Amino acid sequence: MAAWDLSVTVEDLGPDTPPVTLSVTSDLHVGGVILKLVEKTQIKRDWSDHALWWEQKQRWLLRTAWTLEKYGIHADARLVFMPQHKPLKLGLPNGITLRLRACFSNPVFQTVIGICRMLNIRHPEELSLLRPLEEKKKKKDKDSTVEIYDLTEVPLSSVSRPCLYNGMPAHFADSPQMEAIYKMLSVTQPPPAPEVIAKQYRPASVVDKAHINGRWLDSSRCLMQQGIQENDKLWLRFKYFAFYDIEPKYDVVRLTQLYEQARWAILLEDIDCTEEEMMLFGALQYHISKVSQSEPQLLSSSAAMDDLESALQSLEVKMEGESSSASEMLENMTAPELNDYLKIFRPKRLTLKGYKQYWFKFQDTSISYFKSKEESIGEPIQQINLKGCEVAPDVNMAAQKFLIRLLIPAPEGMNEVYLRCENEQQYAQWMAACRLASKGKSLADSSYQSEIQSIHSFLAMQKTNSGSHGNAAASDESINTHSLVSPRYHKKYKAKQLTPRILDAYQNVAQFSLTEAVMRFLQIWQALPDFGLSYVVVRFKGSRKDEVLGIAPNRLIRIDLGVGDVVKTWRYNNMKQWNVNWDIKQMAIEFEGNVNIAFSCVTADCKIVHEFIGGYIFMSTRSREKSDTLNEELFHKLTGGHEAL
Amino acid sequence: MDDIDAMFSDLLGEMDLLTQSLGQETVPPEPLLLPATNEEINFSIGFTDLNESLHELEDNDLDALMADLVADLSATEEKLAAEIEGLKVPSPPQSDLPPPPKGLSTHSASPHASPASSTRSSVSTPASSAASPLPPPPPQSSKPTKEEIEAQMKADKIKLALEKLKEAKVKKLVVKVLMNDGSSKTLMVDERQNVREVLDNLFEKTHCDCNVDWSLCETNPELQLERAFEDHENLVEPLSAWTRDSENKVLFQERKEKYEVFKNPQNFYLWKKDKKALKDIKDKDKDILIQENFCGTSIIVPDLEAVLHLKEDGKKSWKQRLFQLRASGIYYVPKGKTKSSRDLVCFLQFDNVNVYYGKDFKSKYKAPTDFCFVLKHPQIQKESQYIKYLCCDDAWTMNLWVTGIRIAKYGASLYENYKTAEKKAAVSSVWTNRSTPSSSNPSTPSPTIKGSTTRKLSLLSLKHQCVDPPCLVNSPPPVHVTMFYILSSQDFGNIPPPPPPPPLPSTEILPPPPPDPVLPPPPPLAAKSYAKPVPPQRHLPTNFPPPAMDNLPPPPPPPPMDDSSEAPPDFLPPPPPAAGFGSLPPPPPLLMNSLPPPPPSFGGMDQSLPPPPPDPEFLPPPPTQQVYIGAGAPPPPPPPPPPAAAAAAPRAPVRPSGSVKKLPPAPPKRTTPSLLGEGGGGGGGDFMSELMLAMQKKRSDH
């Protein structure tokens, strides 16, 4: 067979080195070509990750047993010999950028699996990669400051077997630096400065939101084929909002990143919520950041609780603690109480004009008051049980106004009572007591001290952020409340005004552990009506205007852009089949009951839409019985394009 | 009546004696004894209340109350016996054992004579007063196995003292429940019991078909409101909010809307679709809906939106507004604004309010229709500006909203309640009577209350969801078309279906009613030993930790437990009917044994404990009687608890983890079952006959 010359560029030799020319025959298989090539370069190193990339055809020659003829390679082919894994800058949901080696030769689906394995994120099928938004033109302001955490040294082999060490993958336990990176992945970030939020791109309309979905990479093709180069930047995001089997014990990184993605979605108004909901999200963020600073190990250490020994240890401690406390408890059966002079005002009653001072006693869940301290042994003037009441703060630090507004239920309705405290300390104690009592807890409750603490820290917030300068974000005591809500509320309220509202919502979440708070945040997020919707602008067949298709985990919705309303809903479980016409870029879907819809996609490739729908159907086929094995073949079947079949 | 009063004081005195003797024997000169003053106060308060309530009770109610007290007493005795024997029997809140189902005959046809009287009255737990000065009549000798306990002595005493303290605080109400037929039943409910337990209790008393629609409802005639209690709610708390002169009533009735959302979720979650599609929906699709909305990480609230009429604060007029329901509350769209979330104004959040059906509001408040619902703080009993009145165009909308609000407010508990109720219904329908219609088709006709509505699909208004006119694909013949078929409908079916009520093994069947239901002279032993093994067996999430143990100084292993000692309910083992909740009874006695556990390995918090080291002493359990008494078979002879426990012990791995994880390992020693029986019986004999005499005397007086 005639020999001919094949020129191959060896990437590792540098861009200026001319291609290596090999003399080959058409029946030489690819493995043979590589062998010749390596021999010719005379460089001794591990070439095992390298493979040939055929530039014109945009494909990898990964089947080493195939001959050149079978691949259809002739002398004019431009081949590049390069590693299959290359560094990639990866933006995570929490805003951190990692540099790691990702696979450029396998379908993106597998690339993501590899990345997730390295980062210890379960269920990689829910995530995917997308091209980041172009940075705004303001290149001038310090672009260089973006810190990149390097993971490229992680040996690829170690990634394949996820063995845990100290609750984290072994490759993170190698050095303190690596451990720090893992912490970055698994611990929530402090609230961002308000300016940072304000600077970020915020979609202003459904159409804006639709544009982001045009950026998803194709899961069935590799990075090289999609024009991604070494060191390019991509975002790793949760794409399918069907989170399967969340288990805080194993999902430390997954939960943290999910929380971060949700938090940013809220802050940037990617998903709409009401003001009340925003305050609750704010309160949860505040709580999460506070708790994760004080007990950063909580999430990961729960994994260690598996360990028999540690479990036993904690048991022992607990038993010691309790046996002593049991007898103590009996001895101090007298419940703690508060006693002090306060001023009371009843807006509804005409008998009491203005605030009047009495001697107050807080015991169990009730407040009683007496004319003076001396008379406190006798019958109180009145006793008020606070169980089930509403407690609202009315505080103005500058004016030294410390008011507790109580709305106390009675058979006749709610009675309004205001208690006026003299100073911060007194206020914190009585306010905390009122809060607990409203939930039926007495002063003896263990949460009393922490309740006082949180009231103090919120008062401190009111003190400090009179101005709105934002680098306070890092320090725990004085979080700028503007860091916790979307920019819309920066305009609507001063930080000072926000504080009491967030504190109000905070009452209900203050007792959560870190994991509970994160889970709660995710739950509320998932309960929002628009949760899980990915938008695409489409043109329905027969319609002359653009409309928006919302793709949710369980349904498709059609949104009329004019009205902004959902006009139609189709559920996947009524879907019989869908067709993609790749040439005219049109999707046709048939539902039960002879319902057919067809549309072409405007803001995203129809492959993306097709992949979303197929992907969600794939997500719904996962079930516990199949446990951990991911049915990759099925995924590709449901989401792949024509070449996949 | 004086007679009765006297008898009750006697009764209380007796109980004091019993408890006191108990205190003296086992808690001798410890510093732990309760401050007497406290006790005295309790005692006297209890007394006045008791008197009041007695005056309000009718004779047949009194009988019932007596039965409850008798049950209490026998339980107390039993506890006493058990403790004296050093046997760590779950001194399950004796006080809570529901009365042995009494013959219904006692209720006879006595007309409902005191309609206006409050249907409840408080009784303080008699068992609590340990400070009575009466001399202790300790009928029990401390026969057995006292030798080994030394190590535990102190712990036990502390536990005992704490237990008493707890009990002293337990509040009880005598509740009169109106039946559909106008008759009533009286029961004692203590504050730790939830509505489910009370319902189970009523099931036993009424022999109804136990279907899931049976509810306990409260009515407020003054405000013309009514609502069904949710099964997980505690009953005593809302009833305590009633005023003294309240005409409110508690009803026992079937309410179709109670769990309708789980039977026909499409009506709530796909309410915008056209009604024909809703009617024809397949079971599979219903399952998917339940799965999606109730089994995910987050409970999804139906996405409701409607123009409702709102009664303006303090005014007589009704004003229309466009309302939306969200998980976080009810919102309305302010005038001139869009429906976008950020413009919504919060009308109300659910933390502090309950939702009620309004009755006859058209005439009472000039409402546009009679389909009204109300949101108010449970404590508000009279008209007030703090009550929110809403009026819907039709019954269908009203039900949609009330159910939606319940989902938003109660979340996962609602579905848990349903599953429990379904289980209960399934068991009952198998067990009680084969001819009874099964629970799933509630067929027993019941007088419908006005609030409960018939579905009117046609009335569905607002945004309609019609199906697209089929737009066929008649584009140029596709050159390149890929077809993607849904693999088969099974693919969707793969979604784990919402847990259907797991078929109950026959073993999980209710313990049969005590063999001798006739009340007045209740053979104490028979009744109580039935109840005994049953109590702590539930694996519901709402699970209460088994009795007493929280307070044990050497507490059971896993940390999650510790707050549980706070809430009174934790203390309560459910009354026997709770057995129907399924799951094997974990051996109660184990719980009490408070030796620092020789820790058997328990890997993973969720794992059940490995079987405790077999103890030769209790290894041979009476083979015939498994843990599951009853099992649908005729009641076996009263099985004393210890053997049951022993039998259960080796089965530990099977146990539901919920309750199991709290178990310390098996006690190293155990007395034989028979001892307990004897002890309890010996103590009870005299007292019970006295009581009987008292009862008879009372009867003859009439």
Side-chain angles (χ1 to χ4, degrees):
Chain A
M1 203 173 249
W4 42 276
D5 281 352
L6 176 70
S7 58
V8 180
T9 309
V10 180
E11 205 186 61
D12 299 63
L13 297 179
D16 302 331
T17 320
V20 178
T21 308
L22 303 171
S23 174
V24 296
T25 56
S26 290
D27 62 351
L28 182 64
H29 51 76
V30 170
V33 175
I34 294 175
L35 195 64
K36 278 191 170 197
L37 187 67
V38 169
E39 275 168 3
K40 198 150 186 190
T41 57
Q42 293 189 320
I43 299 173
K44 281 213 190 310
R45 51 166 293 177
D46 178 9
W47 294 101
S48 63
D49 189 44
H50 282 57
L52 289 168
W53 165 255
W54 185 2
E55 240 173 40
Q56 293 106 318
K57 284 278 164 83
Q58 289 283 299
R59 68 184 290 190
W60 288 89
L61 310 180
L62 293 177
R63 295 171 198 262
T64 48
W66 280 23
T67 61
L68 293 174
E69 191 179 18
K70 190 162 183 185
Y71 266 120
I73 291 173
H74 303 288
D76 62 345
R78 286 200 309 276
L79 299 184
V80 183
F81 188 57
M82 60 182 173
Q84 297 177 56
H85 287 82
K86 297 177 167 195
L88 195 66
K89 278 189 251 166
L90 196 66
L92 298 181
N94 63 358
I96 280 176
T97 306
L98 294 176
R99 194 161 162 273
L100 47 70
R101 280 199 286 165
C103 179
F104 274 62
S105 63
N106 281 331
V108 164
F109 187 69
Q110 286 197 334
T111 308
V112 173
I113 291 178
I115 292 171
C116 288
R117 207 182 281 138
M118 186 185 294
L119 304 182
N120 196 24
I121 297 176
R122 296 196 313 148
H123 296 289
E125 68 274 13
E126 291 161 4
L127 296 94
S128 194
L129 297 171
L130 76 168
R131 297 186 171 84
L133 291 166
E134 293 81 21
E135 302 279 323
K136 281 184 190 157
K137 290 143 235 156
K138 312 175 215 157
K139 282 276 174 192
K140 44 194 177 289
D141 48 44
K142 31 167 190 174
D143 249 7
S144 51
T145 52
V146 180
E147 199 180 342
I148 292 177
Y149 299 91
D150 197 18
L151 283 179
T152 49
E153 297 310 309
V154 175
L156 294 167
S157 57
S158 77
V159 168
S160 55
R161 50 196 156 88
C163 73
L164 293 188
Y165 179 83
N166 249 354
M168 57 187 162
H171 50 267
F172 281 110
D174 288 345
S175 67
Q177 289 82 4
M178 292 295 278
E179 234 170 279
I181 295 179
Y182 189 73
K183 208 180 154 196
M184 208 80 72
L185 296 172
S186 56
V187 177
T188 57
Q189 297 294 300
E195 303 86 81
V196 175
I197 306 177
K199 225 168 52 185
Q200 301 257 333
Y201 168 76
R202 290 192 306 279
S205 66
V206 189
V207 177
D208 284 355
K209 290 175 192 170
H211 279 282
I212 188 84
N213 288 315
R215 303 177 163 273
W216 291 105
L217 295 187
D218 183 341
S219 294
S220 37
R221 296 193 300 148
C222 69
L223 291 178
M224 280 300 281
Q225 284 169 329
Q226 303 185 56
I228 308 297
Q229 304 292 319
E230 183 169 336
N231 279 324
D232 274 0
K233 183 162 181 184
L234 290 177
W235 283 351
L236 179 70
R237 291 287 186 274
F238 290 87
K239 175 179 181 185
Y240 299 101
F241 295 87
F243 313 116
Y244 182 67
D245 183 29
I246 292 182
E247 174 53 71
K249 219 192 273 182
Y250 305 118
D251 287 331
V252 187
V253 181
R254 184 179 175 214
L255 265 181
T256 307
Q257 298 301 325
L258 192 53
Y259 162 73
E260 292 281 356
Q261 186 167 334
R263 176 234 290 250
W264 281 103
I266 304 277
L267 289 181
L268 300 179
E269 296 183 2
D270 210 17
I271 181 166
D272 271 342
C273 65
T274 63
E275 196 172 313
E276 284 70 22
E277 287 156 355
M278 184 62 86
M279 298 306 146
L280 185 51
F281 282 125
L284 280 164
Q285 287 177 67
Y286 171 75
H287 185 62
I288 289 168
S289 87
K290 216 175 91 179
V291 183
S292 65
Q293 275 167 20
S294 59
E295 39 162 337
Q297 292 318 312
L298 189 107
L299 272 172
S300 50
S301 70
S302 67
M305 283 303 281
D306 261 353
D307 201 11
L308 173 69
E309 215 168 309
S310 62
L312 282 177
Q313 237 166 16
S314 71
L315 168 68
E316 247 167 62
V317 170
K318 194 167 168 286
M319 296 205 327
E320 277 168 23
E322 289 225 345
S323 57
S324 61
S325 73
S327 48
E328 273 166 30
M329 197 177 122
L330 277 179
E331 260 144 49
N332 323 328
M333 264 324 277
T334 47
E337 50 184 60
L338 286 176
N339 289 292
D340 216 338
Y341 278 109
L342 301 178
K343 288 178 180 156
I344 190 171
F345 175 56
R346 295 161 165 279
K348 283 279 157 57
R349 283 219 183 148
L350 300 168
T351 46
L352 275 175
K353 281 179 190 159
Y355 287 89
K356 216 169 165 192
Q357 180 164 295
Y358 290 99
W359 176 255
F360 278 77
K361 176 187 245 177
F362 204 118
Q363 196 174 22
D364 205 17
T365 61
S366 301
I367 286 182
S368 354
Y369 59 92
F370 309 84
K371 221 168 185 150
S372 67
K373 186 178 182 182
E374 290 68 38
E375 289 174 39
S376 65
I377 312 116
E379 282 286 299
I381 296 171
Q382 202 196 355
Q383 187 173 18
I384 309 168
N385 191 347
L386 299 187
K387 204 171 166 189
C389 78
E390 285 172 38
V391 186
D394 184 355
V395 175
N396 187 333
M397 292 292 282
Q400 286 290 297
K401 173 173 133 192
F402 300 100
L403 212 55
I404 303 172
R405 291 168 182 264
L406 299 171
L407 208 53
I408 299 154
E412 300 77 28
M414 309 291 265
N415 292 325
E416 253 182 301
V417 174
Y418 299 171
L419 295 181
R420 180 156 208 157
C421 304
E422 280 305 307
N423 54 47
E424 193 181 323
Q425 182 57 32
Q426 196 184 43
Y427 169 79
Q429 283 183 352
W430 286 78
M431 187 64 176
C434 290
R435 287 235 159 96
L436 291 183
S438 73
K439 289 181 204 127
K441 295 182 196 159
S442 76
L443 291 175
D445 197 87
S446 55
S447 59
Y448 180 56
Q449 285 309 323
S450 70
E451 191 74 42
I452 292 182
Q453 272 308 309
S454 69
I455 290 171
H456 272 305
S457 59
F458 267 93
L459 288 178
M461 275 160 67
Q462 237 193 24
K463 239 185 288 184
T464 48
N465 43 39
S466 36
S468 67
H469 62 114
N471 42 4
S475 87
D476 147 275
E477 273 304 298
S478 55
I479 290 179
N480 185 336
T481 42
H482 277 171
S483 303
L484 306 171
V485 295
S486 74
R488 167 184 316 277
Y489 297 99
H490 300 181
K491 288 173 208 142
K492 193 166 174 185
Y493 298 109
K494 287 184 196 147
K496 218 192 279 179
Q497 295 169 307
L498 269 169
T499 307
R501 301 213 46 191
I502 292 180
L503 176 61
D504 216 26
Y506 179 70
Q507 289 180 60
N508 296 320
V509 302
Q511 68 286 1
F512 286 152
S513 75
L514 180 54
T515 312
E516 281 168 343
V518 168
M519 290 301 282
R520 188 86 193 105
F521 190 98
L522 295 177
Q523 278 169 5
I524 303 172
W525 174 51
Q526 290 179 63
L528 294 175
D530 292 343
F531 167 79
L533 283 171
S534 307
Y535 301 101
V536 185
V537 176
V538 297
R539 175 82 53 100
F540 276 90
K541 200 171 157 56
S543 166
R544 258 180 239 151
K545 54 178 185 184
D546 284 348
E547 282 170 273
V548 171
L549 181 75
I551 306 167
N554 57 0
R555 66 194 191 276
L556 296 174
I557 60 172
R558 179 177 182 172
I559 299 169
D560 186 317
L561 275 175
V563 196
D565 251 3
V566 178
V567 280
K568 227 144 282 179
T569 303
W570 302 279
R571 292 172 53 83
Y572 298 144
N573 55 314
N574 292 326
M575 197 153 111
K576 282 166 88 177
Q577 67 171 58
W578 75 101
N579 309 329
V580 185
N581 184 329
W582 300 107
D583 296 307
I584 58 168
K585 303 254 177 221
Q586 179 176 278
M587 286 201 64
I589 308 177
E590 186 190 339
F591 293 92
E592 277 165 21
N594 235 349
V595 180
N596 289 284
I597 59 170
F599 53 83
S600 55
C601 308
V602 180
T603 54
D605 194 273
C606 75
K607 169 67 167 74
I608 290 176
V609 177
H610 157 61
E611 198 180 309
F612 255 119
I613 295 173
Y616 273 127
I617 286 165
F618 172 77
M619 300 298 152
S620 70
T621 61
R622 297 177 293 177
S623 67
R624 253 158 234 278
E625 293 85 77
K626 285 180 199 156
S627 72
D628 282 342
T629 49
L630 186 57
N631 190 342
E632 216 178 308
E633 196 189 334
L634 179 61
F635 180 86
H636 285 302
K637 220 181 210 167
L638 286 166
T639 64
H642 32 92
E643 60 265 54
L645 294 182
Chain B
M1 262 335 209
D2 285 347
D3 236 341
I4 292 166
D5 287 352
M7 189 186 63
F8 262 99
S9 17
D10 282 348
L11 196 69
L12 285 171
E14 288 282 1
M15 293 182 82
D16 286 345
L17 289 187
L18 286 173
T19 21
Q20 197 194 23
S21 69
L22 180 130
Q24 289 193 343
E25 280 213 272
T26 50
V27 196
E30 287 287 325
L32 311 172
L33 267 187
L34 330 167
T37 50
N38 257 357
E39 286 305 308
E40 250 144 25
I41 288 165
N42 269 345
F43 185 76
S44 66
I45 287 172
F47 237 106
T48 50
D49 277 355
L50 192 56
N51 277 332
E52 284 160 17
S53 64
L54 286 178
H55 284 298
E56 287 178 11
L57 278 179
E58 299 160 50
D59 282 347
N60 61 338
D61 293 341
L62 199 53
D63 285 345
L65 176 57
M66 282 301 287
D68 278 344
L69 287 176
V70 165
D72 279 358
L73 275 176
S74 56
T76 311
E77 283 172 70
E78 185 179 346
K79 171 180 155 199
L80 186 60
E83 265 154 11
I84 286 174
E85 284 164 1
L87 219 187
K88 310 298 160 231
V89 182
S91 51
Q94 316 47 36
S95 38
D96 297 317
L97 295 177
K102 321 159 233 274
L104 294 171
S105 53
T106 35
H107 279 278
S108 66
S110 109
H112 180 223
S114 57
S117 77
S118 152
T119 53
R120 72 212 155 84
S121 53
S122 356
V123 181
S124 79
T125 28
S128 63
S129 26
S132 150
L134 295 175
Q140 284 82 9
S141 61
S142 46
K143 337 180 180 178
T145 65
K146 208 169 183 173
E147 320 83 54
E148 342 81 328
I149 337 172
E150 307 246 325
Q152 295 177 285
M153 273 298 260
K154 191 176 176 200
D156 290 345
K157 286 166 195 160
I158 296 173
K159 180 212 70 205
L160 192 65
L162 281 174
E163 199 178 308
K164 281 198 203 161
L165 268 183
K166 281 247 150 117
E167 252 171 52
K169 288 187 191 162
V170 173
K171 188 169 171 187
K172 290 186 171 191
L173 292 180
V174 176
V175 180
K176 178 146 76 187
V177 180
L178 297 183
M179 304 286 132
N180 272 327
D181 58 4
S183 69
S184 69
K185 298 241 180 293
T186 306
L187 25 145
M188 180 134 76
V189 182
D190 89 42
E191 64 179 343
R192 300 165 298 191
Q193 273 179 305
N194 66 21
V195 170
R196 179 74 252 162
E197 287 161 332
V198 177
L199 280 176
D200 289 344
N201 208 339
L202 281 162
F203 284 173
E204 263 184 30
K205 292 189 177 193
T206 58
H207 305 296
C208 69
D209 66 357
C210 304
N211 75 57
V212 295
D213 292 337
W214 285 103
S215 321
L216 220 47
C217 314
E218 64 171 324
T219 60
N220 181 327
E222 182 164 352
L223 293 171
Q224 297 183 7
L225 298 180
E226 65 181 35
R227 82 171 179 118
F229 294 111
E230 303 297 341
D231 289 357
H232 65 276
E233 281 182 84
N234 275 6
L235 188 58
V236 168
E237 200 185 325
L239 296 191
S240 309
W242 293 3
T243 52
R244 278 208 66 76
D245 56 344
S246 173
E247 291 178 27
N248 294 6
K249 298 210 165 35
V250 177
L251 312 177
F252 177 60
Q253 57 187 195
E254 281 174 285
R255 295 181 76 105
K256 270 186 83 86
E257 78 276 8
K258 186 179 185 188
Y259 290 127
E260 180 67 13
V261 66
F262 302 111
K263 296 181 205 158
N264 287 302
Q266 75 280 8
N267 291 347
F268 299 87
Y269 285 96
L270 306 177
W271 59 276
K272 293 176 192 170
K273 297 257 183 206
D274 72 311
K275 17 186 160 141
K276 174 149 188 321
L278 292 187
K279 229 176 175 178
D280 297 344
I281 191 167
K282 285 169 273 182
D283 282 353
K284 180 197 80 186
D285 292 336
K286 291 188 189 179
D287 288 349
I288 291 175
L289 279 174
I290 291 182
Q291 188 69 24
E292 274 174 15
N293 295 298
F294 289 95
C295 304
T297 15
S298 182
I299 303 295
I300 308 299
V301 174
D303 207 356
L304 301 182
E305 179 180 300
V307 175
L308 304 178
H309 307 266
L310 167 68
K311 186 172 176 298
E312 290 189 89
D313 288 348
K315 289 191 204 154
K316 280 187 180 161
S317 60
W318 294 75
K319 194 173 167 185
Q320 289 199 343
R321 276 196 187 283
L322 179 55
F323 284 95
Q324 282 189 5
L325 178 69
R326 297 169 71 100
S328 57
I330 299 179
Y331 294 80
Y332 63 84
V333 181
K335 271 209 181 92
K337 294 275 190 161
T338 65
K339 285 196 272 180
S340 120
S341 307
R342 55 186 87 130
D343 289 335
L344 294 176
V345 175
C346 187
F347 170 64
L348 167 142
Q349 297 189 295
F350 304 122
D351 304 326
N352 290 320
V353 297
N354 283 339
V355 60
Y356 300 77
Y357 286 99
K359 293 171 71 179
D360 283 332
F361 274 17
K362 228 167 147 176
S363 54
K364 186 173 170 87
Y365 297 116
K366 298 204 169 62
T369 74
D370 263 337
F371 310 109
C372 298
F373 65 92
V374 156
L375 294 146
K376 71 164 182 74
H377 193 289
Q379 292 198 33
I380 300 180
Q381 298 291 322
K382 310 213 148 83
E383 291 214 28
S384 147
Q385 53 162 330
Y386 294 96
I387 301 180
K388 307 288 182 196
Y389 304 88
L390 288 162
C391 179
C392 311
D393 285 341
D394 49 62
W396 161 266
T397 313
M398 175 178 70
N399 257 317
L400 215 49
W401 278 81
V402 173
T403 306
I405 292 166
R406 286 169 60 218
I407 296 171
K409 180 170 169 70
Y410 303 110
S413 317
L414 217 52
Y415 188 47
E416 294 297 331
N417 290 347
Y418 173 65
K419 285 190 287 187
T420 311
E422 230 190 2
K423 233 180 252 177
K424 174 86 192 169
V427 171
S428 313
S429 63
V430 174
W431 185 67
T432 48
N433 192 347
R434 264 148 210 103
S435 63
T436 325
S438 96
S439 62
S440 46
N441 11 307
S443 52
T444 332
S446 60
T448 9
I449 342 100
K450 271 186 194 137
S452 88
T453 54
T454 46
R455 310 256 155 264
K456 288 186 193 161
L457 288 158
S458 55
L459 289 177
L460 169 59
S461 62
L462 288 166
K463 297 204 278 184
H464 261 274
Q465 190 94 33
C466 318
V467 157
D468 238 359
C471 46
L472 293 169
V473 196
N474 50 7
S475 53
V479 196
H480 203 140
V481 172
T482 328
M483 310 259 287
F484 298 90
Y485 289 89
I486 307 286
L487 304 181
S488 74
S489 45
Q490 261 64 38
D491 269 333
F492 275 103
N494 273 346
I495 303 168
L504 289 175
S506 56
T507 47
E508 293 185 339
I509 279 169
L510 280 184
D516 184 358
V518 187
L519 173 64
L525 265 188
K528 75 189 161 205
S529 33
Y530 264 107
K532 241 336 179 13
V534 182
Q537 49 181 304
R538 281 187 314 171
H539 63 158
L540 295 180
T542 52
N543 210 353
F544 302 139
M549 54 169 319
D550 323 341
N551 298 330
L552 299 187
M561 281 220 37
D562 44 11
D563 332 326
S564 48
S565 61
E566 240 108 287
D570 298 334
F571 205 48
L572 165 76
F581 290 16
S583 88
L584 325 173
L590 289 186
L591 305 177
M592 299 289 294
N593 202 307
S594 45
L595 271 188
S601 66
F602 53 98
M605 292 284 139
D606 302 335
Q607 295 303 311
S608 48
L609 287 176
D615 182 321
E617 226 182 316
F618 69 90
L619 252 189
T624 43
Q625 82 199 29
Q626 285 289 344
V627 194
Y628 332 104
I629 333 151
R651 310 173 56 109
V654 195
R655 283 181 243 140
S657 54
S659 43
V660 168
K661 57 180 173 185
K662 288 151 192 159
L663 295 184
K669 53 232 147 197
R670 194 165 297 276
T671 37
T672 54
S674 58
L675 284 179
L676 168 73
E678 283 163 26
D686 296 353
F687 179 72
M688 290 321 287
S689 50
E690 266 183 48
L691 186 69
M692 228 173 93
L693 282 174
M695 293 289 289
Q696 274 159 6
K697 189 176 165 220
K698 189 202 103 191
R699 288 242 158 67
S700 57
D701 286 345
H702 282 274

